Amino acid sequence: MNTSAFDLPDHLSPKADPRLIAGDEQHFAAIAASLDRTIADLSDRLDTERKAPGGIGQAAMDRDQEIHRLTARLRALRRFGLDLCLGHIVSADHPEPVYIGRLGLTDSTGRRLLLDWRSPAAEPFFGATHANPMGLASRRRYRWTRGRVSDYWDEVFTSDGFEGHAALDDQSAFIASLGGSRSARMRDVLGTIQADQDAIIRAGSSGALVVDGGPGTGKTVVALHRTAYLLYSDPRLGHRRGGVLFVGPHEPYLAYVADVLPSLGEEGVQTCTLRDLLPEGAAATAEADPDVATLKSSADLVKAIEAAVRFYEEPPAKGMTVTAGESDLWLSADDWADAFQAAGPGTPHNEARDQIWEELLTILMDKYDGDEPEDLVRRSLLRNRELLTTVNRAWPLLDAADLVGDLWSVPAYLRKCAPWLSPDEVRKLQRGDVQAWTASDLPLLDAARQRLGDPEASRRQRQHRGAVAVERERMTRVVDDLIEAADDEYGVGLVTMLRGEDFQDALVDEAALPDTDPDRLAGPFAHIVVDEAQELTDAEWQMLLLRCPSRSFTIVGDRAQARHGFTESWQERLERIGLDRINLASLSINYRTPKEVMAEAEPVIRAVLPDANVPASIRGGDVPVAHGSVSELASILDTWLATHAEGVACVIGDPTFRGTSRVRSLTPELSKGLEFDLVVLVDPEDFGAGIEGAVDRYVAMTRATQQLVILTSS
């Protein structure tokens, strides 16, 4: 039985020379043994944690987090096995190889077997070049297939580094990865990260980092790997401090990259599209009127939500007499104003209502000088219909959908909240079915929901407080029973301690009592990564700013791929929407798209955007772009499938074509962020005129990694 970790094909037999791979074989054996031991140890610890008492309060949360951590670690180790190892580096000053892994790993003696790829010491594995070898003598990268090494490549950086190496093509590992077939999921590229990409991945998290790059430059690769790197390297971004949110352009994109973050050692990252941030997002349609879409894309209209809410936060201008028991209490206009100031800064409107009620009761009770018990007077005030009606009218509970719907159905209300709108613009924004939500409505709905809070929150909080009171009463009875049952002075004294307030708090597990599930996408997040960011409107940016008070962002995009145009600079756009600490990084090398395809695509985008960042392609496909008739579509696909056992093709622009597992059917917009071996464009001139049509054609063409075919009906 072959127990070697290497499974090299016959044409690579020189690489199987024991003098070249014996050291790797020994190291892989040590990794395998350590993996077995670590997996067994983690399994035992996980079983122990699961069987341990749940605890209460913070102890219960700590236990759950430890179970989650152990489970994620086990899943990663079991998923990869030996192919946790990406390769090794040899220092010019030290001959012992250092092996780089997806995760760190040690043996039973504490010897480092794998260095986590995100650690500073692993940086030369990705960043070393001949111009800057970063202290390396050599580097080796592996290609893994079904858990065994099917190829490897060596690079040397010093004159004495050539000895003992069989593959000395500096770019061989990278070029081989580019030529591989695509699949329904993003392929693993960690082992071939390039130096320019790695520098951006490891940049600090302070402020907003813009990663600008054209098609095929690895923007998505950078965004995903940077997410994993920041969580590893920056303790300020950990899950207890908000964690990281990754925002992609659409669901097919999220499905495509779903495996990448877990393969990099991170399973706790929240991923979503902008639509996922709101329950209305799933059914929201496109805005039919482009003028209306433009009006709603403004951050100013989102900010009008504040005025829309303040309209419902005006204290009564006149005082009133409030009857409490046998007394009449005067509640002046100044008293109302004081009560309405009781809510703390930033308190959502609906949650502030309870604080206002409490302040009103305090003001009224301070005025009461009768003989009735205070609890009876208080209950009388709570049941006072006139007082309740006045509060409801002056500070009502509001629903976000109703608030935004009123803007689109009550012209006077919209004019009051957004006085800069012209009469014609106010008219354009009105509609019959006010809650037939569009994608352009989502930023306003989100702002309203954040500003208002949940109208049901008050009821749930009262229920929760009631449940806590019941639980406290139950624990008091338990303590009384224990004291009564204690049979000596020491036992009575010990149990009596439980009557102290601190012990009472510890005995009641509030976390275990009924409550609502938190919205995992509500934030705040410590850092947000946004891919295809050039498509976001100013209004949509407000949705993300609300969720990231630290203003720590990674912003990935390409101005040339903005469907509605992007004539300003990133600096101008981002400063306008509310970001100030902005750093710009640029990727200019197209690693993915063949030169033949780029020669066809470049004139399309330059015709409408002369200063487009069109990256230079470094590889030829040896297959010219083919042109033909739509009638040839079926035969083209049949021929391709017959000659390609692996890989994925895509038909773009034919809504009647039904996709299969290996031939996708997409619109140009939904192809963004994806890549395919073969792309067939059907009637690309029908994609539209102007910037939107040109961008759609440009994007669709540059999805092809091997071959592009353009078919027309004429």
Side-chain angles (χ1 to χ4, degrees):
M1 179 179 178
N2 183 10
T3 58
S4 172
F6 288 81
D7 186 15
L8 301 171
D10 292 342
H11 71 279
L12 296 179
S13 57
K15 292 188 177 183
D17 188 326
R19 290 173 296 179
L20 301 176
I21 63 173
D24 284 349
E25 292 276 32
Q26 293 176 2
H27 200 82
F28 290 153
I31 290 174
S34 180
L35 277 173
D36 290 342
R37 176 185 59 81
T38 303
I39 288 173
D41 179 57
L42 288 173
S43 298
D44 290 342
R45 289 166 59 189
L46 183 58
D47 288 342
T48 300
E49 287 289 345
R50 284 173 170 165
K51 292 174 182 177
I56 58 176
Q58 186 62 46
M61 294 177 63
D62 291 343
R63 172 180 173 271
D64 289 346
Q65 289 178 351
E66 179 65 6
I67 288 174
H68 176 78
R69 187 188 69 80
L70 293 172
T71 301
R73 179 77 172 179
L74 264 175
R75 189 159 42 236
L77 295 179
R78 286 170 172 162
R79 174 180 180 176
F80 286 102
L82 284 179
D83 50 357
L84 281 169
C85 184
L86 303 169
H88 72 235
I89 52 178
V90 177
S91 168
D93 301 325
H94 196 282
E96 189 69 24
V98 175
Y99 288 79
I100 311 300
R102 299 176 183 279
L103 302 170
L105 190 69
T106 58
D107 66 12
S108 57
T109 67
R111 179 171 68 106
R112 176 67 65 182
L113 298 175
L114 288 176
L115 186 65
D116 193 297
W117 71 273
R118 295 165 290 190
S119 67
E123 187 174 354
F125 180 76
F126 305 96
T129 64
H130 286 281
N132 179 22
M134 300 178 72
L136 294 191
S138 67
R139 168 171 58 197
R140 173 171 290 184
R141 303 177 192 250
Y142 306 112
R143 168 179 280 182
W144 294 90
T145 304
R146 291 182 290 277
R148 298 174 74 185
V149 177
S150 56
D151 202 354
Y152 68 90
W153 300 269
D154 291 328
E155 301 169 68
V156 296
F157 301 97
T158 61
S159 58
D160 58 352
F162 288 90
E163 183 178 352
H165 294 293
L168 297 175
D169 177 0
D170 289 351
Q171 292 293 316
S172 57
F174 182 55
I175 297 299
S177 74
L178 293 174
S181 296
R182 268 58 187 170
S183 69
R185 296 293 179 93
M186 190 177 191
R187 58 194 169 82
D188 185 359
V189 295
L190 177 55
T192 55
I193 292 291
Q194 298 300 286
D196 60 338
Q197 298 169 337
D198 188 63
I200 296 172
I201 289 169
R202 295 175 187 269
S205 65
S206 178
L209 175 67
V210 180
V211 183
D212 180 77
T217 55
K219 299 188 301 298
T220 296
V221 166
V222 166
L224 292 163
H225 288 70
R226 179 165 165 76
T227 301
Y229 172 76
L230 288 177
L231 279 170
Y232 172 88
S233 64
D234 193 337
R236 296 173 300 174
L237 307 184
H239 302 301
R240 290 192 177 185
R241 297 178 179 241
V244 175
L245 176 68
F246 188 99
V247 182
H250 47 66
E251 290 300 334
Y253 169 95
L254 293 183
Y256 181 59
V257 303
D259 286 343
V260 176
L261 284 169
S263 76
L264 300 176
E266 291 297 341
E267 294 194 350
V269 178
Q270 297 293 331
T271 62
C272 72
T273 68
L274 284 174
R275 286 175 175 266
D276 296 330
L277 298 177
L278 289 165
E280 294 88 354
T285 60
E287 194 73 59
D289 186 335
D291 291 338
V292 172
T294 299
L295 288 171
K296 292 181 181 178
S297 71
S298 166
D300 288 336
L301 200 55
V302 175
K303 293 171 183 174
I305 292 297
E306 176 63 29
V309 176
R310 284 203 310 271
F311 179 79
Y312 292 101
E313 296 181 346
E314 290 293 329
K318 296 181 179 180
M320 63 181 292
T321 299
V322 180
T323 300
E326 298 178 355
S327 300
D328 289 335
L329 307 176
W330 177 247
L331 196 60
S332 68
D334 288 341
D335 292 332
W336 278 109
D338 290 343
F340 273 41
Q341 295 295 320
T347 305
H349 170 92
N350 290 323
E351 296 170 27
R353 190 169 180 275
D354 278 354
Q355 298 178 27
I356 291 167
W357 252 114
E358 192 62 35
E359 185 64 19
L360 280 172
L361 293 175
T362 299
I363 290 171
L364 289 167
M365 290 301 298
D366 286 345
K367 294 174 179 287
Y368 179 73
D369 59 0
D371 297 327
E372 296 178 86
E374 287 191 3
D375 59 332
L376 292 179
V377 177
R378 187 181 180 88
R379 282 201 292 270
S380 174
L381 291 171
L382 287 170
R383 293 194 298 267
N384 188 294
R385 186 176 298 275
E386 185 181 4
L387 180 61
L388 182 61
T389 299
T390 305
V391 171
N392 285 341
R393 186 179 297 121
W395 195 293
L397 290 175
L398 298 173
D399 178 77
D402 292 337
L403 186 89
V404 177
D406 286 347
L407 292 174
W408 309 152
S409 59
V410 184
Y413 183 46
L414 179 58
R415 283 195 299 271
K416 180 176 178 61
C417 300
W420 61 87
L421 293 175
S422 70
D424 184 57
E425 289 171 336
V426 170
R427 180 189 57 77
K428 280 178 179 281
L429 288 167
Q430 303 303 296
R431 67 184 185 214
D433 187 352
V434 294
Q435 295 195 7
W437 302 118
T438 69
S440 300
D441 291 323
L442 298 181
L444 289 105
L445 282 166
D446 187 58
R449 184 167 280 113
Q450 295 272 349
R451 177 64 173 82
L452 292 174
D454 187 349
E456 293 295 310
S458 177
R459 177 184 59 81
R460 286 195 300 268
Q461 289 172 0
R462 287 194 300 272
Q463 288 179 337
H464 185 73
R465 288 195 295 267
V468 169
V470 170
E471 184 66 7
R472 285 180 182 277
E473 185 176 345
R474 186 181 71 83
M475 292 310 302
T476 298
R477 292 197 302 270
V478 169
V479 171
D480 288 342
D481 291 343
L482 289 172
I483 292 174
E484 186 176 342
D487 57 4
D488 59 35
E489 182 177 344
Y490 175 78
V492 171
L494 183 63
V495 177
T496 302
M497 289 175 60
L498 296 176
R499 281 190 169 162
E501 186 174 343
D502 291 342
F503 281 103
Q504 290 289 316
D505 291 339
L507 289 170
V508 178
D509 182 11
E510 294 192 32
L513 296 174
D515 205 350
T516 57
D517 293 330
D519 180 357
R520 295 181 303 161
L521 298 178
F525 293 94
H527 188 84
I528 295 181
V529 180
V530 193
D531 202 358
E532 301 293 343
Q534 74 278 350
E535 299 296 349
L536 270 62
T537 66
D538 291 3
E540 288 170 334
W541 270 112
Q542 305 310 306
M543 302 171 73
L544 301 181
L545 294 177
L546 279 170
R547 288 165 171 79
C548 191
S550 67
R551 300 297 190 261
S552 176
F553 281 87
T554 298
I555 298 164
V556 183
D558 176 16
R559 293 169 55 248
Q561 295 186 55
R563 298 183 74 241
H564 302 293
F566 197 134
T567 56
E568 59 197 332
S569 69
W570 280 108
Q571 186 90 15
E572 291 167 334
R573 168 71 62 87
L574 297 176
E575 286 181 349
R576 189 177 69 242
I577 60 97
L579 293 174
D580 51 7
R581 294 173 298 155
I582 302 167
N583 298 301
L584 181 65
S586 182
L587 295 170
S588 58
I589 300 174
N590 188 332
Y591 298 110
R592 178 190 70 210
T593 315
K595 294 177 181 177
E596 295 82 357
V597 173
M598 287 306 298
E600 188 94 16
E602 182 172 353
V604 170
I605 196 63
R606 289 221 185 271
V608 296
L609 193 66
D611 67 337
N613 178 10
V614 179
S617 180
I618 65 169
R619 56 188 290 261
D622 299 325
V623 180
V625 176
H627 293 262
S629 168
V630 171
S631 62
E632 301 174 78
L633 176 60
S635 62
I636 289 171
L637 293 175
D638 288 344
T639 300
W640 186 83
L641 289 169
T643 55
H644 293 77
E646 297 179 337
V648 178
C650 184
V651 175
I652 300 177
D654 184 355
T656 66
F657 180 80
R658 299 187 65 180
T660 66
S661 60
R662 292 189 59 206
V663 183
R664 302 280 300 280
S665 177
L666 292 172
T667 64
E669 186 175 5
L670 290 182
S671 71
K672 276 194 172 181
L674 310 182
E675 52 188 38
F676 306 93
D677 298 282
L678 167 69
V679 169
V680 181
L681 298 192
V682 178
D683 286 326
E685 293 304 317
D686 290 344
F687 289 0
I691 182 68
E692 185 170 321
V695 166
D696 281 348
R697 288 189 288 276
Y698 179 63
V699 168
M701 289 178 179
T702 56
R703 300 308 96 191
T705 65
Q706 305 298 332
Q707 185 179 2
L708 173 65
V709 176
I710 301 175
L711 304 179
T712 59
S713 299
S714 57

